[in-house]
Amino acid sequence: MTARIDISAVTRRYGATLALAGVDLTVEAGAYCVLLGPSGCGKSTLLNILGGFADPTSGAVRIGGRDMVGVPAAARPTTTVFQDYALFPHMTLLDNVGFGLRMRGMARRARQSRAAEMLALVGLDGAGARRPADLSGGQRQRVALARALAVEPDVLLLDEPLGALDLNLRRVMQDELKRIQRSVGATFVHVTHDQEEAMAIADRLVVMNAGRIEDQGPPERVYRAPASRFAAGFLGEMSFLPARVQAGRAVTALGVLGGPQTHPEGTRMIACIRPEHLRIGPGPALGPIDVLDTVFMGAHRKVRLRARAAPDVDLTALLPADTAPGPDLAIDAGAVTLLPDNGDTT
Amino acid sequence: MIRFALCSAYMALIYAFIFLPVAVLALFSFQDGRFPIPPFRGFSLRWHAEVLADADLIAALVNSLLVAVASSALALALGFLAARAVATGALRGAGMVRAAITAPLSVSYLVIGLGLLASLNLMGIGLSLGTVAIGHVVINTPLCFAICSAALGPATANAERAARDLGAGEIRVMALVTAPMIMPALLAAFLLSVTFSWDEFIIAFLLSRFDVTLPVEIWSLLRSGLNPKTNAVGSLVFMLSALAVLAVELAAARRK
Amino acid sequence: MIRAASIETRDRRRALALAAPALAWTAAFFALPFAVMATASLWRRTDTGFDRRPSLENYADFWSQSAYVEAAVNSVEITLAVTCLSVLLAYPLAWIIAVELPERYRRIALALAVIPFWTSYVVRSYAWSLVLAKKGVLNGWLAAWGLGALDLANSRAATVIGFTHFFTMLLVLTIYASLVQLPRNLRLAAADLGASRFQTFRFVVLPLTLPGVAVGAFLTFALCIGDYVTPQILGGGNDLALPQLVMLQISRRADLPMAAALSVILMVLVTLAYLAMARWMRPR
C-alpha cells in the first residue's frame, strides 16, 4: 500500500556531465514529497532512477527496504504519471485505467469495475467509454493518475504532472492531488519547477540544484529558514545582505539581524531578507531610503527600494496599499535567516 | 480570366499526356482484330476472354500476389522492429543503423538484382519465387522502416514507457500499444510494399526461373509484338489496381 | 561497484535485438551481394568460367570500346533530358493543383494525375509503343490533320517520352508536397510588400520549394538511369542505354564480370549526380 524510500549517495553521470552528485534522501511511507528545482537540476533524473527508467552510476536506492538497482520499472512497486500523460490514444478510458490490471492477469469484468472505481476517485465517473482525444488537459491528467493508481503502487511518481495545465487548473489539481494522496495513502514523489505548487502540496519539500539537494524539510521550515542561499532565493523573493560576526551577533550595514551566532568572530555571513520582513514595527530601522520602483498589486504595493546605509543591495518590501515607504520601515530582525557566506552567488 | 484559361489549358494538356497511353491501351484491348492500332475495327471482348483463359497468365498473377503479400509482410516486420529499435534512443550508433537499413533505397534495382543473382549462384541457391521474394524484401524493408520511423515519435515512446511501467512485456507493448497507435502507417507501408512488389520487373526477371510473376509473364508476351491480348492484360491489371485503391479509400473513409 | 545487468544495458540490448533482423537481412541480401558485385567486376570471363585474379581490365575495356562509352553517354543524355523535361512539365501542374485550384478539388486532381501508376510498369511502356508505333495513334492523328508521319518507334525520342510520362507523374507528387507545405501567408506577405507574382515566385516560392524539387529530380535521375524496361521496349536495339548493355552481358555473353563492372559504373554515375545535386537538396 505504501512504502518508505531510501536513497543514499546516488550519483548519475551522462558522459562528462554529472546529473546527480551524491544525493541522500529519505521519504517516509505515505508522505507527499516534492522535488523542486530549475530545469537541469537533476530532479527528473532522480525520478527516473526511482521509476526504473535509468540506472544510478553509483549509490543505493531502496523502496520499502528492497534494493531497487537493476530492477526494471515493471517489477517495481512504483508507477509513474508521465509529463505528457502518455495515455494510450486508441483505448477507452476504462481500458487505459485497466491496462496495468490486465498486465497482472485480472479478468476483464473485475478490472473494468476496478477501473470505473478509479475513474470515480479522480472525478471522472461515467466517462469510461470515452477516449483520451475527447478529454481536456485536466481530464487527461486525472486519467493518467487513475491509471497509475489502479495497480495500487506503494510509491507514485509524478513527473511535472501539472506542467501542461493553465494556472487556474493547476491550482485546482494540486488540491486534488493532495486529497487523492491522502485517500490512497501511497507515497507520492512529485517533480516540479513551480515553487508555489511545491509549497502548497508538499509534506516534505526537497530543493535541488546542479545535481545536489540544497535543502529538504517541511515547506514552511524551508521557506522560513532555508539551509542554503540557493534554496532561499528559489523559494520566493529574497534580498541578500552581507553580514559579519561580531561578539556572537551578525552585524550588517542595517544593524544586527537574526539570532545569536556560534561562528567564530569575523566570519562573513549573508542575511536573507524576505519582502515581508520589511514593515513598520520593531527592529532595526532602514533610515533614509530611495524608492526605485513601485508596483500596485491590489491589496499590496510592492516597493523596490535601497537603503542609503546599504546602497549595494536592492530590497523589496510588500506593504499594505495605504502605507507609504519611508525611513520608519524596519526589519523584523528575528525572522531573518543568516547563512555562512561561502562565496557562491547563486 | 486569362489566368484561369491558361491554367485550364495547361491542365488539360498535361492530363491528356498522362492519360493518352492508358486510354489507347484500354481502347484497343477491345479491338476486334489482330492489331491494337488504328483503325478501331469494333468492340470485342475476345482478348479479355483469352487472357482469363491463359493458365500461365493466371498462374503468374497468383504468383505475383503471393510474392507481394509474403515479401511485404516480412519487410514490414523487419522495418517495424528496426524502426522501434532506432526510435527508443537506447541504440548505440542509431545513425549508422538507419543509414545501413535505408542504403538499398539509393541503389538501382538492376544492381540489387544482379548482385543477388551472382551471390545466389555462388551459394548454389536455385532461383524460385522465394528468391524473388528475398529481393523484394530487400527493396521494401527500407521503405517500411522509413514509414514506421516517421510515425514513431515521443508520443509512442512515452506510451510504450507507460505500458512497460504498468507491467507489459515487450511483445505486449508492441501488440497492444505501439502497433495500434501507428496502425495507419503500418497499413500504408504494407500497401505501398505490395504495390512495389506487384509492379517490380527487373529483380523478378533476374531472380525467377520457372514460376514467374505477372510483370515477367507480360514481358514474355511482349515478344509477340503489338498484340491486343497485351492490351487486355494491361487493362485488367489496371482495373484490379483501381478496385484495390478504391477499396482502400472506402475503408479509410468509413473509419473516419 | 559492478552491476550485472542494469536497466539501461537491458534497454540497449533489447533495441539491438529489435534492429538485428533487419540488419542481418540487409547484410546478407544487400551488402554481401554488393560486395560480390564489386569483387566480380575485377574478374575476367574466360572460355571455361571466370579468371578470379583481380584486375581492372573490364574497366579498361569500358574505356577503350566506343560501344560501352556511347551507351553510358546515351544513358546520361537521356536521363538529363528526362529529368529536365519532367520537372518543367510537373512544376506548373503541381502549382496549379496546390495553389490555383480550390481546395476541395485538390485530392481528386492529384488522384487523377497518378492514375496511370495503376497499370503495370511494363505495360505503360508497351502502351507508349502503341501510341508511337509507325501506324499507331499519333501518326493516325497527324495523318488526319494532313501532316506527315513521325518515325518515333524504337528511337531515343520514344524512350524519353515514355520516361517523361512516368516521372512527370512522380514529380507532380513530390513538388505538390513541397508546395502545400509552404504557408499561404508567405505569398501574401510577399505580395503585401509589393512583390509581383513573378517576383514572389522567383524570390520566395522557388527557393523554398527547391529542396523538394531537387530531391524529386535526383530520384528521377537515379531511377531513370538504372531502368532497363523503358529503353528496351521503346528505344529498341539501336541506341543502347547502360542497363541494356548490362543485361546483354548477362543474357547473351554470360559475362558476369563485365556486367558487374558496368553496374559499378552505373552506381558511380548516380553518386556523381547526387554529389552534383546535394547542395540543392538541403533545406536552407
Side-chain angles (χ1 to χ4, degrees):
Chain A
M1 226 17 239
T2 183
R4 170 193 163 97
I5 301 169
D6 295 285
I7 295 168
S8 59
V10 162
T11 62
R12 171 66 211 217
R13 225 171 249 294
Y14 289 103
T17 50
L18 197 57
L20 291 176
V23 167
D24 294 290
L25 176 66
T26 295
V27 182
E28 294 304 327
Y32 202 127
C33 170
V34 175
L35 304 180
L36 173 69
S39 55
C41 71
K43 59 190 193 296
S44 292
T45 304
L46 189 57
L47 200 74
N48 280 337
I49 286 173
L50 280 173
F53 302 108
D55 302 307
T57 306
S58 67
V61 176
R62 294 175 173 279
I63 295 176
R66 255 177 71 207
D67 184 9
M68 284 293 134
V69 174
V71 177
R76 294 192 181 205
T78 61
T79 49
T80 300
V81 174
F82 295 92
Q83 190 169 6
D84 67 346
Y85 317 141
L87 297 180
F88 307 130
H90 56 292
M91 295 184 195
T92 62
L93 299 196
L94 273 186
D95 288 340
N96 261 285
V97 175
F99 188 86
L101 302 169
R102 182 177 175 188
M103 295 303 109
R104 282 156 181 75
M106 188 186 273
R108 186 177 170 77
R109 180 79 55 89
R111 71 171 189 259
Q112 296 237 324
S113 80
R114 172 92 181 116
E117 274 171 38
M118 293 312 298
L119 281 174
L121 175 74
V122 298
L124 282 172
D125 7 1
R130 297 165 75 185
R131 281 170 198 273
D134 306 332
L135 305 182
S136 68
Q139 289 171 319
R140 284 181 208 180
Q141 159 71 65
R142 288 164 191 266
V143 176
L145 192 61
R147 184 179 66 181
L149 286 172
V151 296
E152 300 185 9
D154 294 341
V155 175
L156 186 74
L157 307 171
L158 305 104
D159 188 4
E160 306 252 2
L162 310 180
L165 306 181
D166 65 46
L167 195 61
N168 284 331
L169 200 51
R170 209 183 297 175
R171 299 299 171 236
V172 173
M173 276 310 294
Q174 71 198 26
D175 296 343
E176 276 281 271
L177 278 175
K178 187 99 181 179
R179 174 185 68 79
I180 290 166
Q181 193 260 342
R182 290 287 175 262
S183 84
V184 300
T187 311
F188 277 33
V189 181
H190 174 134
V191 159
T192 183
H193 58 255
D194 176 344
Q195 12 118 354
E196 221 176 299
E197 173 184 316
M199 282 194 283
I201 329 184
D203 297 326
R204 179 178 200 79
L205 180 60
V206 178
V207 181
M208 293 185 67
N209 183 41
R212 289 174 204 284
I213 291 179
E214 293 274 344
D215 195 0
Q216 51 173 307
E220 214 173 309
R221 202 282 291 147
V222 177
Y223 181 83
R224 287 191 193 284
S228 77
R229 180 163 174 167
F230 178 86
F234 198 74
L235 276 184
E237 211 155 332
M238 190 72 95
S239 303
F240 299 103
L241 193 62
R244 196 179 281 271
V245 177
Q246 284 173 21
R249 295 299 223 165
V251 180
T252 70
L254 298 175
V256 172
L257 297 179
Q261 299 297 321
T262 52
H263 295 282
E265 189 75 4
T267 305
R268 289 166 168 281
M269 303 202 75
I270 294 174
C272 307
I273 305 170
R274 292 230 182 259
E276 58 268 29
H277 295 156
L278 295 179
R279 79 283 181 265
I280 293 168
L286 293 185
I289 58 167
D290 296 312
V291 173
L292 302 174
D293 186 16
T294 307
V295 180
F296 175 64
M297 301 179 75
H300 291 277
R301 201 185 289 280
K302 185 165 150 186
V303 183
R304 223 152 52 78
L305 53 86
R306 208 172 272 170
R308 298 240 171 101
D312 298 336
V313 179
D314 287 1
L315 298 167
T316 304
L318 215 49
L319 303 175
D322 55 356
T323 308
D328 50 345
L329 274 181
I331 304 176
D332 181 358
V336 171
T337 303
L338 276 137
L339 296 170
D341 183 359
N342 33 31
D344 63 339
T345 50
T346 44
Chain B
M1 210 45 225
I2 294 173
R3 201 174 160 75
F4 179 77
L6 270 176
C7 288
S8 309
Y10 190 79
M11 275 183 92
L13 270 175
I14 293 280
Y15 278 113
F17 173 62
I18 287 175
F19 290 143
L20 178 62
V22 184
V24 169
L25 178 84
L27 176 67
F28 285 99
S29 70
F30 298 110
Q31 173 77 305
D32 192 5
R34 294 202 36 77
F35 297 104
I37 47 173
F40 189 65
R41 292 174 195 285
F43 187 86
S44 157
L45 280 175
R46 65 185 254 229
W47 301 110
H48 288 88
E50 205 164 294
V51 168
L52 295 177
D54 186 331
D56 287 346
L57 271 173
I58 299 300
L61 185 137
V62 172
N63 290 344
S64 267
L65 271 179
L66 278 177
V67 168
V69 169
S71 67
S72 301
L74 186 52
L76 182 61
L78 295 176
F80 171 64
L81 294 179
R84 281 204 59 225
V86 172
T88 55
L91 197 65
R92 283 208 181 129
M96 301 257 296
V97 170
R98 180 184 293 276
I101 291 174
T102 51
L105 281 180
S106 55
V107 177
S108 139
Y109 287 1
L110 175 64
V111 178
I112 293 177
L114 268 184
L116 267 172
L117 179 65
S119 316
L120 292 170
N121 275 342
L122 284 180
M123 291 187 266
I125 297 173
L127 300 179
S128 67
L129 285 180
T131 50
V132 176
I134 288 177
H136 286 180
V137 173
V138 170
I139 60 172
N140 280 331
T141 299
L143 199 72
C144 292
F145 172 80
I147 295 175
C148 291
S149 285
L152 294 170
T156 45
N158 289 341
E160 288 177 1
R161 219 156 86 117
R164 237 171 255 137
D165 185 40
L166 293 168
E170 195 53 25
I171 290 174
R172 291 210 276 189
V173 168
M174 266 190 274
L176 298 178
V177 176
T178 327
M181 276 181 83
I182 63 161
M183 194 45 87
L186 293 179
L187 279 178
F190 183 75
L191 289 176
L192 207 60
S193 292
V194 166
T195 313
F196 275 40
S197 170
W198 170 259
D199 207 19
E200 200 287 326
F201 168 73
I202 193 74
I203 292 176
F205 181 66
L206 287 169
L207 299 184
S208 62
R209 194 139 202 192
F210 303 115
D211 294 323
V212 295
T213 61
L214 193 57
V216 179
E217 186 65 32
I218 293 175
W219 181 261
S220 51
L221 262 186
L222 291 184
R223 293 225 188 100
S224 57
L226 302 185
N227 182 349
K229 190 174 165 189
T230 313
N231 290 44
V233 178
S235 342
L236 284 171
V237 168
F238 179 80
M239 281 189 331
L240 210 64
S241 315
L243 280 178
V245 172
L246 220 63
V248 171
E249 283 283 314
L250 282 179
R254 188 169 292 182
R255 273 169 66 103
K256 273 178 198 165
Chain C
M1 192 168 164
I2 297 163
R3 303 181 192 284
S6 73
I7 294 157
E8 287 162 54
T9 312
R10 258 176 283 180
D11 284 351
R12 263 197 294 280
R13 280 186 200 152
R14 187 174 52 211
L16 197 61
L18 288 170
L23 286 174
W25 191 279
T26 307
F29 300 117
F30 175 73
L32 178 71
F34 210 76
V36 169
M37 285 281 279
T39 314
S41 77
L42 302 176
W43 299 348
R44 289 292 275 178
R45 189 188 69 129
T46 62
D47 293 338
T48 50
F50 302 132
D51 177 355
R52 300 195 175 189
R53 280 170 304 178
S55 81
L56 288 172
E57 283 177 56
N58 290 320
Y59 295 96
D61 281 1
F62 173 83
W63 276 118
S64 61
Q65 295 191 21
S66 60
Y68 290 138
V69 179
E70 269 168 28
V73 172
N74 270 342
S75 274
V76 171
E77 283 174 0
I78 289 172
T79 301
L80 284 177
V82 167
T83 308
C84 295
L85 273 174
S86 307
V87 170
L88 290 178
L89 287 177
Y91 203 115
L93 184 61
W95 170 272
I96 291 171
I97 296 176
V99 177
E100 306 287 342
L101 217 57
E103 197 164 346
R104 62 178 181 281
Y105 297 126
R106 280 186 202 161
R107 218 181 136 79
I108 178 85
L110 214 55
L112 281 176
V114 297
I115 272 189
F117 270 143
W118 299 351
T119 59
S120 164
Y121 187 74
V122 173
V123 171
R124 258 192 313 270
S125 293
Y126 165 78
W128 272 110
S129 74
L130 287 183
V131 175
L132 302 175
K134 207 162 196 170
K135 292 181 177 172
V137 176
L138 186 66
N139 279 339
W141 286 346
L142 291 176
W145 290 341
L147 297 166
L150 287 172
D151 194 10
L152 290 175
N154 294 332
S155 72
R156 180 192 286 218
T159 307
V160 171
I161 291 173
F163 268 138
T164 304
H165 177 246
F166 179 74
F167 289 113
T168 299
M169 291 189 283
L170 192 79
L171 281 164
V172 166
L173 286 184
T174 58
I175 297 173
Y176 172 84
S178 57
L179 276 172
V180 288
Q181 275 174 10
L182 214 63
R184 185 178 136 81
N185 282 346
L186 277 183
R187 276 183 289 120
L188 295 183
D192 189 39
L193 295 170
S196 68
R197 280 178 193 282
F198 175 75
Q199 285 170 320
T200 303
F201 177 77
R202 168 70 186 78
F203 296 111
V204 178
V205 177
L206 191 60
L208 287 170
T209 50
L210 201 57
V213 175
V215 169
F218 170 69
L219 206 66
T220 302
F221 189 98
L223 291 173
C224 185
I225 204 166
D227 185 48
Y228 166 69
V229 172
T230 303
Q232 181 70 13
I233 294 180
L234 290 173
N238 306 323
D239 251 357
L240 289 185
L242 206 46
Q244 288 175 287
L245 209 55
V246 173
M247 290 299 283
L248 270 182
Q249 308 304 318
I250 295 288
S251 58
R252 296 273 168 77
R253 306 185 48 217
D255 190 346
L256 175 70
M258 193 66 210
L262 293 174
S263 299
V264 170
I265 288 164
L266 192 68
M267 293 299 302
V268 169
L269 289 175
V270 173
T271 311
L272 287 178
Y274 178 81
L275 293 177
M277 297 169 87
R279 95 185 125 113
W280 288 300
M281 292 199 262
R282 268 184 282 280
R284 45 197 92 188

